Amino acid sequence: MSIWEALAVFAAGIGAGTINTIVGSGTLITFPVLLATGLPPITANVSNALGLVPGSVSGAIGYRRELKGQRKRVLRLGAAALVGGLVGAILLLALPSAAFDAIVPVLIGLALVLVVLQPRIAAAVKRRRERTGSEAHPDGGPALLVGLLLASMYGGYFGAAQGVLYLSLMGLLLHDDLQRVNAVKNVLGALVNGVAAVFFLFVAEFDWTAVLLIAVGSTIGGQLGAKVGRRLSPTVLRGVIIAVGVVAILQLTLK
């Protein structure tokens, strides 16, 4: 790897750490850069997964204020994320990449529709609960667990726009502030990347230069993303989620 390629990977790591903390989809920045340096796709994917772990942890630490009071929720949802991430990592080595190519843009598109409609759906659900006297499950119930399990399987497999899927599911099924939901998303992303990376350590080849550059860059980006992300209003944050999701769909369908 030349000095210019190394600088490009480092810069991509900062960008990925920043965007992952705010929304997700940092892989759409780092993965193409790693491929451009000549790394094989699988090596680039697993190196990217390991390199982004420190960035995810950094982003979660940056959002620690919004995580207060959510310990039980994080433990419950984190268990589903860990299982899903491990299964996804196994599928990466067992299935051809084309297996997910067709369905991923559809999943992201559906997630964006949920993000757009979430305020109206939440208001309608709230009115219905007020009429029936029922209460919302504080952690989203079985529907959220299953949804996050499937989203985490995809995250362990590749992970582009994984954060968009998390935010759409939790935004719909958790009646909480979007910034607090985003804080949980960062923890789940760290868990999925972490368990996938540990699995890959034993069964796949890494480019350790790429891992180190992305790790340092994404750690810096995680702190930047936390500072920027928590200042965004729910409406602006929702707009950023939609914009990133649209870019993800275009990149995945036009590649």
Side-chain angles (χ1 to χ4, degrees):
M1 189 180 295
S2 70
I3 183 64
W4 298 111
E5 289 174 334
L7 288 173
V9 172
F10 177 68
I14 294 176
T18 302
I19 196 72
N20 271 346
T21 302
I22 298 173
V23 181
S25 302
T27 291
L28 295 175
I29 300 174
T30 48
F31 188 66
V33 174
L34 292 177
L35 293 180
T37 66
L39 291 182
I42 295 295
T43 302
N45 199 2
V46 297
S47 300
N48 180 64
L50 182 56
L52 288 177
V53 172
S56 299
V57 174
S58 176
I61 292 173
Y63 261 92
R64 61 189 177 278
R65 188 170 66 211
E66 287 77 9
L67 285 170
K68 289 182 178 179
Q70 299 197 80
R71 181 177 179 181
K72 288 181 63 177
R73 175 182 290 173
V74 168
L75 290 175
R76 179 182 174 87
L77 302 182
L82 282 173
V83 173
L86 179 59
V87 172
I90 294 171
L91 290 177
L92 174 64
L93 302 182
L95 296 178
S97 61
F100 274 53
D101 286 350
I103 190 63
V104 167
V106 178
L107 287 175
I108 299 172
L110 290 174
L112 293 183
V113 171
L114 291 177
V115 170
V116 172
L117 297 179
Q118 188 268 331
R120 294 184 179 180
I121 295 174
V125 171
K126 182 180 180 180
R127 289 194 298 269
R128 182 175 181 274
R129 288 202 175 101
E130 288 175 349
R131 289 197 305 268
T132 61
S134 60
E135 295 184 0
H137 194 292
D139 296 328
L144 182 57
L145 281 178
V146 173
L148 289 179
L149 176 67
L150 296 175
S152 299
M153 287 173 58
Y154 165 64
Y157 184 90
F158 182 49
Q162 170 189 357
V164 175
L165 297 177
Y166 282 160
L167 287 172
S168 67
L169 288 167
M170 290 191 291
L172 182 64
L173 296 172
L174 292 177
H175 297 277
D176 208 337
D177 178 74
L178 190 56
Q179 291 289 0
R180 281 169 54 82
V181 169
N182 198 25
V184 176
K185 178 267 296 177
N186 287 327
V187 176
L188 299 183
L191 291 174
V192 169
N193 282 338
V195 72
V198 170
F199 173 75
F200 291 144
L201 279 173
F202 295 97
V203 297
E205 294 184 2
F206 290 87
D207 184 297
W208 288 105
T209 300
V211 171
L212 180 61
L213 289 169
I214 292 176
V216 176
S218 66
T219 300
I220 296 171
Q223 291 301 302
L224 293 174
K227 291 182 182 298
V228 173
R230 65 156 48 98
R231 295 177 180 176
L232 301 178
S233 68
T235 301
V236 174
L237 181 56
R238 193 168 284 110
V240 173
I241 295 168
I242 294 167
V244 171
V246 169
V247 171
I249 292 173
L250 292 174
Q251 184 165 338
L252 292 168
T253 54
L254 299 178
K255 67 179 180 179

